[in-house]
Amino acid sequence: QLQLVESGGGLVQAGGSLRLSCAGSGSIVSINSAGWYRQAPGKQREVVAVITSGGSTNYADSVKGRFTISRDNAKKSVYLQMNSLKPEDTAVYYCNADIILPFGRSFEVWGQGTLVTVSS
């Protein structure tokens, strides 16, 4: 009832593209700030991109010019368009969002993760 559902991961060759989606459940009224994070095998989770409630964005240097974070408030969704993928982009990608529940309650929620594998 209260969750972020991720989709769009998969296997792609270097240079290819994928689009990740993160959709709030029906119990979520809206999403404020949100971000995408990733965790590669043997590495710490790192921030990839963030987007504010007003639509301002920031990206990790490693993905600038290749990835684009966006949002659709009506669909309570956040997206990550990934172009020119590299093998080093291989990781489990997680969305994170500050969500608004009924009666103005706010919480921070993580998605379940979706695996992106980029082959050489």
Side-chain angles (χ1 to χ4, degrees):
Q1 294 183 355
L2 196 164
Q3 60 180 330
L4 299 175
V5 181
E6 299 183 31
S7 62
L11 175 64
V12 65
Q13 289 186 273
S17 298
L18 285 173
R19 184 172 185 259
L20 306 184
S21 297
C22 176
S25 71
S27 62
I28 296 175
V29 175
S30 63
I31 296 175
N32 283 335
S33 297
W36 286 94
Y37 298 74
R38 67 187 182 188
Q39 187 166 22
K43 299 182 67 176
Q44 294 279 72
R45 187 173 300 185
E46 63 177 350
V47 63
V48 175
V50 295
I51 186 167
T52 69
S53 60
S56 298
T57 59
N58 281 291
Y59 300 90
D61 288 341
S62 60
V63 306
K64 285 181 179 178
R66 300 188 297 120
F67 290 11
T68 302
I69 187 171
S70 61
R71 63 190 298 153
D72 186 329
N73 291 336
K75 296 182 178 180
K76 297 181 290 185
S77 296
V78 182
Y79 308 97
L80 185 68
Q81 178 66 46
M82 305 185 294
N83 298 326
S84 302
L85 283 162
K86 305 174 181 179
E88 48 264 49
D89 294 319
T90 295
V92 176
Y93 284 71
Y94 300 88
C95 64
N96 174 270
D98 294 320
I99 65 170
I100 304 298
L101 298 176
F103 307 107
R105 295 171 295 168
S106 63
F107 292 91
E108 182 176 288
V109 181
W110 287 90
Q112 83 280 5
T114 184
L115 177 62
V116 172
T117 303
V118 184
S119 65
S120 59

